[in-house]
């Protein structure tokens, strides 16, 4: 085969005879040399799909111009041009362009931020290089590499099997729902390549088994790379938050147009010409449009994603940030999430009773050797720099090494004849290995380890010091008693059994044939202590009104003991085993989950996780579900927040999840929920801030119209644009960095149906903060005019004696709105608590943004070019003194309102009756359920 150049020629034919294929690839079963792999990487390029979505940006940018708020401004620009005000038309168009560019830039940055977070989860593959197994980045795979494929691995390239057999999920390519078997023992030459039973494909997933495979194609030359429709399927969907905001935006647009059109006749009745009346209508349109709303929301969510990543929670979608804050139920695994995920064998049980694992005996030696043989994990050594594999298996290998019975991957591979991988349904793993007998010959032995309640029924004998004897009822009772004692102490228990195959008997083809007539060697008890910080995290979740269910494959008593230690389910958690769950009807499961208590689901299958997630979502709960295995993927996809483990989880689980924990720690989940609540609260804060300024911008136009022109227009359209573009956006962005308000994790989760913009928010923005600001600026405008000797109806046009005073009055209106913005920004920092409890200087970006707004206002007053563009005029010291108290008046009024509200809440709390409190679940729930706005 001709070598491919940078553009690439046809890759190797994976269906040709294996010897010819290896010759064409210039490879062997030992893999490539490191230097040769590096050379081929230069020739073939990186193993990645080239993103062909570069032309998406025009459509994404155009989408910013079709937003309802942008369309309203476009109408205003056209009206300005038609009415003979080209400068105003150009200014409004500039606002549209700048706002669209800013929003587009923020969305691109947010998308890049999520893509950059992939660095937390590098995709790797195991290959043979220089004859040794090692881990490399998936992008560094080249044709000719020999991959080591095991359960849970995502297959990163097209490959031909050299040895072994695996179960593979190829639904991404064929749509088949069931995994298929691929084996090196089969050979297909006259079938379509996707049906070949000895070929693996990029983008598929190994769900069981182990194998070696030689890479035949990488990157865009794989079957996956040929599917051009993959890119076409990637469409952007608005998050629920964006959808709600867009609905509000259409409402605002309709109100703005309606107000502008409705007040146009008023302008004409007031004696204005058509040009002036249209300018009046344009002013109302512009004043009603919060231009910075959407880009501010996008940036706030993007900032939240980066912040969560710094805390160890990689969120893969911006919309998930808002969902986190409304989580009502967490369904968590036990091992590694609640516990440290570092198992250590603490006790062994044999027919002689419990034994110290550090003191070897012939009986315990048999248990340790058999358990270590039935593993796939790897301890740190020459082949790998760090431990790899299941923590339970690592504990078994560590014990074997400590007792002088080390099991290396090479030894294990050399002796292994077949593997029946761990099955999550029956909780068993079995291997058939070749080992030496007492006479120096070799025999085949079946080694099985797994859940004691699954191993014991498959056993017919028990190992004694004198040899194996039939397993009696009293033996079974002794095993069960030891198992329960270990489990009650919070220890994880495995049973280990063996069966020697008679000479000449072939290796069993099916696990049902292998796992029969076993001889029980003993029990292995291991401890995986709870993480020290988990108990406090559980308490914080409970305070926040969040229930925590444990869904684990572990034994019920063991899981319950851990649950008690960390505070789940009080002193006696309700334990439901897998078989018990299977017997529950849907109605009974719904009733169980609807109760106030927390449940430990033990010996649960991945299918049970999916059923639990469906039942909770049917109740209207917002579910966060953890998982790390291949079969957890459906439940992770179904949950509102699917949480995969970054360290111990499989590639499949990480791909299916919404959030990945880089530290596998339950505490990070609670911290992420707290951050989600804070981010959602901050979005509502800057929405109130932005909406509050509509009133002081609209009120001057209404006063002008309702007075029939007797009171001159207190504000110009250019001044409104300067506010919305120059002083409005930065403080809104800074509010997205606001620290959490005290009590954020002491209130119940927000209902799933709650809108981001509520009536109480609009009442605060328009009916309180906005109204106070509007009255203040109108008072300042009239005071300046009256001080200059103005009377209603006097001429203030160019050339009149009052024209200078009129320009100063409009300037003080403009500066007054900016001053009120400062007070509003400080007021909305908290929704309930006093600002003192949060801290005046805790949001430094906001202080910087408010400083910029003041500098901008001063520049607009004193820079000559601003006088021409904005129609402003220099102010006297007395006029500055007039607006100086405005921020403190607005801020102080809202502080007083919040103080009154807290007093009312205190009265309500004292009046809560016992039944009402129990029904709500907490006092906070009662108060939150009553309208205090």
């Amino acid at each position: 085969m001709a070598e491919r150049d940078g553009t690439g020629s046809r890759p190797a034919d994976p269906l040709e005879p294996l010897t010819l294929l290896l010759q064409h690839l210039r490879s062997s079963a030992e893999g490539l040399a490191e230097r040769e792999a590096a050379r081929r990487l230069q020739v073939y390029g990186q193993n990645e799909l080239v993103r062909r979505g570069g032309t998406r940006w025009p459509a994404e940018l155009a989408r910013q111009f079709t937003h309802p708020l942008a369309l309203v401004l476009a109408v205003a620009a056209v009206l300005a041009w038609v009415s003979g005000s080209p400068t105003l038309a150009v200014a409004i168009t500039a606002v549209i362009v700048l706002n669209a560019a800013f929003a587009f830039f923020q969305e691109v940055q947010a998308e890049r931020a999520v893509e950059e977070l992939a660095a937390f989860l590098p995709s790797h593959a195991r290959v043979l290089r220089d004859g040794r197994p090692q881990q490399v980045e998936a992008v560094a795979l080249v044709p000719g590499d020999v991959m080591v494929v095991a359960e849970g691995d995502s297959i990163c390239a097209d490959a031909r099997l050299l040895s072994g057999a695996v179960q593979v999920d190829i639904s991404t390519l064929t749509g088949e729902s069931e995994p298929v078997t691929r084996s090196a023992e089969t050979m297909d030459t006259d079938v379509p390549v996707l049906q070949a039973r000895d070929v693996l494909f990029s983008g598929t997933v190994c769900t069981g088994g182990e194998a070696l495979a030689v890479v035949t194609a990488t990157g865009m030359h794989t079957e996956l790379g040929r599917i051009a429709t993959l890119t076409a399927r990637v469409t952007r969907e608005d998050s629920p938050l964006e959808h709600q905001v867009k609905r509000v935006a259409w409402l605002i647009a309709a109100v703005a147009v309606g107000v502008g059109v409705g007040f146009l006749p008023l302008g004409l009745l007031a004696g204005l010409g058509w040009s002036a009346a249209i300018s009046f209508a344009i002013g109302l349109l512009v004043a009603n449009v919060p231009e910075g709303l959407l880009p501010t929301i996008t940036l706030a969510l993007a900032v939240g994603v980066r912040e969560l990543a710094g805390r160890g929670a990689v969120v893969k979608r911006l919309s998930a940030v808002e969902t986190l804050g409304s989580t009502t139920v967490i369904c968590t695994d036990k091992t590694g999430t609640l516990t440290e995920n570092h198992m250590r064998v603490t006790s062994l049980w044999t027919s002689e009773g419990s034994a110290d694992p550090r003191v070897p005996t012939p009986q315990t030696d048999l248990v340790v050797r058999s358990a270590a043989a039935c593993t796939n994990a790897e301890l740190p050594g020459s082949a790998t720099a760090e431990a790899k594999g299941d923590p339970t298996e690592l504990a078994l290998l560590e014990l074997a090494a400590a007792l002088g019975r080390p099991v290396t991957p090479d030894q294990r591979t050399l002796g292994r004849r077949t593997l029946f991988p761990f099955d999550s349904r029956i909780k068993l793993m079995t291997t058939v290995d070749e080992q030496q007998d007492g006479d120096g010959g070799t025999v085949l032995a079946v080694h099985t380890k797994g859940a004691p309640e699954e191993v014991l029924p498959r056993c017919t004998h028990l190992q004694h010091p004198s040899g194996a004897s039939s397993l009696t009822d009293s033996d079974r009772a002794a095993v069960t008693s030891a198992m329960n004692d270990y489990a009650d102490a919070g220890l994880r228990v495995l049973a280990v059994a063996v069966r020697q195959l008679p000479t000449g008997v072939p290796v069993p083809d099916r696990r049902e044939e292998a796992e029969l007539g076993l001889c029980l060697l003993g029990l292995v008890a291991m401890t995986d202590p709870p993480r020290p910080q988990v108990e406090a995290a559980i308490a914080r979740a409970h305070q926040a009104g969040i229930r925590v269910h444990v869904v684990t494959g572990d034994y019920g008593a063991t899981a319950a003991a851990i649950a008690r230690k960390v505070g789940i389910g009080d002193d006696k958690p309700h334990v439901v085993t897998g078989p018990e769950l299977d017997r529950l009807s849907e109605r009974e499961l719904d009733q169980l989950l609807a109760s106030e208590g927390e449940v430990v689901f033990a010996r649960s299958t991945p299918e049970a996780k999916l059923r639990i997630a469906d039942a909770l979502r049917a109740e209207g709960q917002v579910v966060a579900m953890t998982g790390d295995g291949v079969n957890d993927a459906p439940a992770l996809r179904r949950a509102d927040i699917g949480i995969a483990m970054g360290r111990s989880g499989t590639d499949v689980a990480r791909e299916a999840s919404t959030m990945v924990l880089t530290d596998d720690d339950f505490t990070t989940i609670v911290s992420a929920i707290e951050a989600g609540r804070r981010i959602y609260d901050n979005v509502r804060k800057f929405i109130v801030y932005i909406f509050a300024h509509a009133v002081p911008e609209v009120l001057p136009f209404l006063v002008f119209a309702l007075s029939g022109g007797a009171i001159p227009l207190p504000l110009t359209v250019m001044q409104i644009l300067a506010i919305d573009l120059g002083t409005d956006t930065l403080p809104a962005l800074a509010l997205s960095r606001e620290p959490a308000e005290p009590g954020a994790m002491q209130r119940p989760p927000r209902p799933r149906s709650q809108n981001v913009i509520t009536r109480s928010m609009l009442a605060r923005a328009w009916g309180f903060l906005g109204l106070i600001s509007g009255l203040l600026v109108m008072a300042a405008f009239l005071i300046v005019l009256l001080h200059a000797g103005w009377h209603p109806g006097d001429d203030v046009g160019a050339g009149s004696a009052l024209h200078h005073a009129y320009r100063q009055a409009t300037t003080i209106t403009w500066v007054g709105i900016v001053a009120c913005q400062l007070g509003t920004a400080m007021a909305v920092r908290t929704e309930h608590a006093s600002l003192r409890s949060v801290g005046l200087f805790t949001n430094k970006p906001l202080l910087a943004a408010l400083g910029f707004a003041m500098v901008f206002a001063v520049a607009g007053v004193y820079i000559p070019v601003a006088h021409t563009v904005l129609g402003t005029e220099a102010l006297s010291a007395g006029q500055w003194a007039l607006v100086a108290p405005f921020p403190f008046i607005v801020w102080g009024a809202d502080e007083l309102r919040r103080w009154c509200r807290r007093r009312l809440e205190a009265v309500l709390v004292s009046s809560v009756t016992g039944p009402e409190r129990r029904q709500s679940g907490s006092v906070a729930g009662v108060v939150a359920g009553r309208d205090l706005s």
Side-chain angles (χ1 to χ4, degrees):
M1 185 189 73
E3 225 177 56
R4 288 184 292 179
D5 56 18
T7 59
S9 61
R10 188 173 182 80
D13 179 6
L15 299 183
E16 65 181 331
L18 189 56
T19 20
L20 290 178
L21 178 62
L22 290 174
Q23 287 177 8
H24 288 167
L25 290 170
R26 289 187 291 130
S27 183
S28 68
E30 284 73 38
L32 299 174
E34 189 67 48
R35 289 176 58 184
E36 174 64 14
R39 189 189 69 79
R40 293 191 185 194
L41 186 62
Q42 295 297 319
V43 174
Y44 295 106
Q46 289 193 328
N47 175 36
E48 58 186 356
L49 296 182
V50 178
R51 181 176 178 180
R52 305 189 184 278
T55 57
R56 291 172 58 202
W57 73 263
E60 291 291 331
L61 183 58
R63 194 169 62 87
Q64 307 301 331
F65 291 98
T66 58
H67 191 271
L69 303 183
L71 294 177
V72 173
L73 290 177
V75 170
V78 171
L79 289 175
W81 187 272
V82 170
S83 66
S85 302
T87 303
L88 180 59
V90 170
I92 296 175
T93 303
V95 170
I96 297 173
V97 173
L98 288 174
N99 188 62
F102 179 74
F104 172 70
F105 174 77
Q106 290 302 337
E107 289 197 5
V108 170
Q109 288 297 103
E111 183 179 343
R112 287 180 180 172
V114 175
E115 290 176 354
E116 289 170 4
L117 294 178
F120 283 90
L121 309 169
S123 179
H124 290 87
R126 282 191 298 161
V127 298
L128 299 181
R129 294 267 177 92
D130 294 324
R132 294 182 294 105
Q134 56 183 283
Q135 194 173 66
V136 300
E137 290 190 10
V139 294
L141 283 177
V142 295
D145 261 327
V146 173
M147 291 192 301
V148 182
V149 181
E151 179 182 355
D153 290 345
S154 287
I155 299 168
C156 311
D158 288 1
R160 171 78 170 271
L161 287 171
L162 297 176
S163 64
V166 288
Q167 294 284 321
V168 185
D169 177 1
I170 62 172
S171 58
T172 53
L173 294 177
T174 66
E176 294 185 48
S177 58
E178 294 294 327
V180 297
T181 300
R182 293 290 183 259
S183 172
E185 302 298 325
T186 58
M187 182 180 295
D188 292 313
T189 56
D190 298 324
V191 297
V193 67
L194 285 176
Q195 297 178 16
R197 291 175 293 171
D198 55 351
V199 179
L200 305 177
F201 300 100
S202 177
T204 61
V205 176
C206 176
T207 60
E210 281 191 358
L212 294 179
V214 61
V215 174
T216 58
T218 59
M220 295 302 292
H221 295 278
T222 62
E223 289 299 316
L224 185 64
R226 299 169 196 258
I227 304 176
T229 53
L230 283 179
T231 302
R233 291 175 187 167
V234 178
T235 57
R236 183 190 185 280
E237 294 183 359
D238 287 339
S239 71
L241 177 61
E242 290 173 316
H243 181 68
Q244 290 181 28
V245 171
K246 190 168 287 188
R247 286 177 56 192
V248 173
W250 277 113
L251 177 62
I252 292 172
V255 170
V257 172
V259 170
V261 172
F263 279 93
L264 184 61
L266 289 179
L268 294 174
L269 291 175
L272 300 176
W274 274 102
S275 177
I278 291 176
S279 295
F280 166 71
I282 292 171
L284 285 176
L285 286 177
V286 174
N288 275 288
V289 174
E291 292 88 350
L293 185 59
L294 275 190
T296 305
I297 288 175
T298 303
L299 181 60
L301 295 179
V303 168
V305 167
R306 286 191 177 276
E307 178 189 329
L308 289 173
R311 295 189 178 194
V314 180
V315 178
K316 295 161 63 177
R317 292 197 309 266
L318 289 182
S319 58
V321 177
E322 61 184 278
T323 310
L324 272 169
S326 57
T327 300
T328 59
V329 175
I330 302 173
C331 294
T332 178
D333 197 353
K334 178 186 72 69
T335 305
T337 312
L338 299 179
T339 62
E340 294 180 352
N341 200 26
H342 184 79
M343 305 295 295
R344 181 171 56 87
V345 178
T346 60
S347 183
L348 297 174
W349 182 92
T350 67
S351 59
E352 296 179 303
S354 293
D356 187 337
R358 294 168 298 180
V359 181
T361 67
Q363 287 281 83
T364 60
D365 186 64
L366 287 174
V367 176
V368 172
R369 281 192 296 160
S370 182
C374 189
T375 59
N376 286 325
E378 296 180 27
L379 293 175
S382 59
T384 177
E386 58 183 19
K388 180 176 181 180
D390 181 74
T392 300
E393 294 190 351
L394 290 172
L396 296 174
L397 292 176
E398 287 173 353
L399 178 61
L403 296 179
R405 302 286 187 180
V407 178
T408 67
D410 290 340
Q411 291 173 334
R412 195 170 49 200
T413 302
L414 186 64
R416 182 166 294 173
R417 298 292 296 275
T418 193
L419 164 71
F420 299 105
F422 178 77
D423 189 321
S424 60
R425 294 176 295 105
I426 59 175
K427 312 294 182 187
L428 294 179
M429 174 181 172
T430 296
T431 62
V432 180
D433 303 285
E434 192 176 274
Q435 63 184 34
Q436 290 187 341
D437 60 14
D439 300 326
T442 58
V443 295
L444 293 179
V446 176
H447 298 288
T448 297
K449 75 175 192 305
E453 67 268 25
E454 295 291 343
V455 174
L456 194 58
R458 292 167 170 81
C459 293
T460 57
H461 292 75
L462 175 65
Q463 184 69 33
H464 291 276
S466 58
S469 61
S470 297
L471 191 65
T472 65
D473 290 341
S474 60
D475 291 333
R476 294 181 186 276
V479 173
T480 303
S481 175
M483 177 179 67
N484 291 333
D485 289 343
Y486 285 142
D488 289 339
L491 301 178
R492 184 174 187 183
V493 188
L494 288 179
V496 181
V498 69
R499 175 165 69 98
Q500 186 172 313
L501 297 178
T503 304
V505 173
V507 176
D509 293 328
R510 299 168 60 244
R511 72 182 311 151
E512 291 81 1
E513 298 172 358
E515 295 166 349
L516 286 177
L518 299 174
C519 175
L520 181 67
L521 298 179
L523 304 177
V524 180
M526 291 173 277
T527 181
D528 183 13
R531 293 177 183 262
Q533 63 274 32
V534 165
E535 186 175 1
I538 295 291
R540 287 171 57 208
H542 288 163
Q543 288 178 347
I546 300 170
R547 284 188 296 163
V548 183
H549 299 308
V550 178
V551 186
T552 179
D554 217 337
Y555 185 58
T558 303
I562 295 295
R564 281 195 302 271
K565 289 180 180 178
V566 299
I568 297 175
D570 299 324
D571 293 334
K572 292 184 178 180
H574 185 179
V575 179
V576 177
T577 64
E580 291 172 347
L581 178 62
D582 292 338
R583 290 193 294 269
L584 291 179
S585 66
E586 297 302 322
R587 183 177 179 180
E588 290 171 333
L589 178 59
D590 291 344
Q591 291 175 344
L592 172 65
L593 294 173
S595 62
E596 293 184 8
E598 294 171 325
V599 183
V600 174
F601 293 95
R603 293 297 191 220
S604 296
T605 63
E607 292 78 10
K609 278 191 173 184
L610 182 61
R611 187 184 176 199
I612 293 167
D614 283 338
L616 288 168
R617 283 173 56 84
E619 290 181 26
Q621 304 289 340
V622 179
V623 183
M625 173 80 72
T626 69
D628 55 11
V630 173
N631 292 333
D632 289 331
L636 294 178
R637 288 194 182 98
R638 191 68 57 87
D640 297 282
I641 298 290
I643 305 171
M645 302 298 112
R647 291 180 179 176
S648 61
T650 60
D651 292 338
V652 187
R654 289 194 287 263
E655 180 65 25
S657 66
T658 311
M659 185 172 79
V660 180
L661 303 183
T662 59
D663 55 5
D664 293 9
D665 191 347
F666 180 87
T667 306
T668 305
I669 301 175
V670 180
S671 297
I673 291 173
E674 182 177 11
R677 288 192 178 191
R678 182 185 61 77
I679 292 164
Y680 184 83
D681 288 347
N682 287 347
V683 168
R684 291 161 62 92
K685 289 172 185 177
F686 64 65
I687 287 176
V688 172
Y689 169 79
I690 290 173
F691 278 21
H693 305 136
V695 176
E697 290 176 356
V698 171
L699 187 60
F701 289 89
L702 298 182
V703 170
F704 168 72
L706 295 175
S707 69
I711 298 176
L713 195 60
L715 197 64
T716 68
V717 176
M718 294 298 293
Q719 289 169 349
I720 292 175
L721 293 177
I723 292 171
D724 292 346
L725 197 64
T727 64
D728 205 23
T729 304
L730 285 181
L733 293 176
L735 282 168
S736 67
R737 302 293 189 97
E738 189 65 32
E741 186 172 344
M745 290 294 281
Q746 277 76 49
R747 65 173 189 259
R750 62 182 173 89
R752 181 191 287 268
S753 58
Q754 184 188 71
N755 290 325
V756 66
I757 301 175
T758 62
R759 284 179 295 179
S760 61
M761 289 171 60
L762 295 179
R764 185 185 182 192
W766 290 340
F768 191 78
L769 294 169
L771 183 60
I772 293 173
S773 300
L775 294 176
L776 287 174
V777 298
M778 282 305 304
F781 172 77
L782 294 174
I783 288 172
V784 171
L785 279 183
L786 292 171
H787 186 265
W790 169 85
H791 295 88
D794 286 352
D795 181 21
V796 294
S800 68
L802 292 172
H803 183 62
H804 178 76
Y806 169 68
R807 286 173 64 96
Q808 284 187 319
T810 59
T811 301
I812 206 167
T813 302
W814 180 68
V815 172
I817 292 177
V818 175
C820 290
Q821 281 182 314
L822 306 183
T824 301
M826 299 304 289
V828 300
R829 289 184 61 191
T830 64
E831 186 177 354
H832 303 285
S834 67
L835 186 57
R836 183 178 61 181
S837 64
V838 175
L840 185 62
F841 304 105
T842 52
N843 190 343
K844 291 181 173 57
L846 178 61
L847 298 178
L850 297 181
F852 170 81
M854 289 187 285
V855 171
F856 185 88
V858 172
V861 172
Y862 291 109
I863 293 179
V865 69
H867 296 171
T868 304
V869 176
L870 301 179
T872 55
E873 197 68 58
L875 299 179
S876 65
Q879 290 167 337
W880 278 109
L882 181 62
V883 298
F886 286 7
F888 303 99
I889 294 174
V890 175
W891 176 11
D894 198 69
E895 282 284 348
L896 180 60
R897 182 192 67 82
R898 281 178 276 125
W899 179 82
C900 293
R901 177 171 180 169
R902 291 194 300 273
R903 295 280 294 178
L904 177 58
E905 288 180 356
V907 172
L908 288 175
V909 168
S910 64
S911 66
V912 172
T913 63
E916 185 180 5
R917 183 178 301 188
R918 286 192 298 271
Q919 185 177 4
S920 173
S922 67
V923 172
V926 177
V927 175
R930 300 189 180 182
D931 188 4
L932 303 176
S933 59

